[in-house]
Amino acid sequence: MKKQVYTTLRQIALLFEALTVRQLLFNRFVILVVFALALSGSAQVYVSMNDSGTIEGQVVDQNGEPVEGAQVTVQELGIRNQYDGDTTTTDENGYYKFTGQTQLLEFRVRVTTEDAQTVERHHLYFQGQNTDINVVLDTEG
């Protein structure tokens, strides 16, 4: 009788042990799925917070000094055409900013200074992505 009870208890213990392992494996799967969903959700939140189409940066000379009054133009580039762009000037700290550039995919940033020096940067980016473009001018000539 004792041996039969012992065997029955042993089988019940093995059954619970098997259920526990199954539950652990299931819980790991659930944790993995929840983690993947949370990661995807946080990536979407990040993108939605950074998709206003802002292009900004600073124009400096070779010594790192800001260039005030430089003309900065952002121009959309097409397959065959160059489209009219937006233009602004840098402030006293050399900063410029374009907002609402949500339709640009391929564009050029052109910086022209008072002494007619011109620097161009060609860029590709995701539609609506915010981006920083800093320009260093060659002041040596």
Side-chain angles (χ1 to χ4, degrees), residues 36-52:
L37 290 174
L39 186 62
S40 173
S42 63
Q44 288 185 6
V45 168
Y46 174 79
V47 168
S48 69
M49 292 174 60
N50 293 290
D51 68 348
S52 59

Side-chain angles (χ1 to χ4, degrees), residues 53-90:
T54 301
I55 300 170
E56 60 186 333
Q58 185 180 28
V59 179
V60 296
D61 62 17
Q62 282 184 329
N63 299 324
E65 296 297 320
V67 177
E68 181 180 359
Q71 182 178 340
V72 182
T73 303
V74 61
Q75 182 181 33
E76 181 180 8
L77 302 175
I79 294 174
R80 293 180 179 234
N81 301 322
Q82 297 178 10
Y83 301 98
D84 291 336
D86 295 329
T87 301
T88 189
T89 55
T90 57

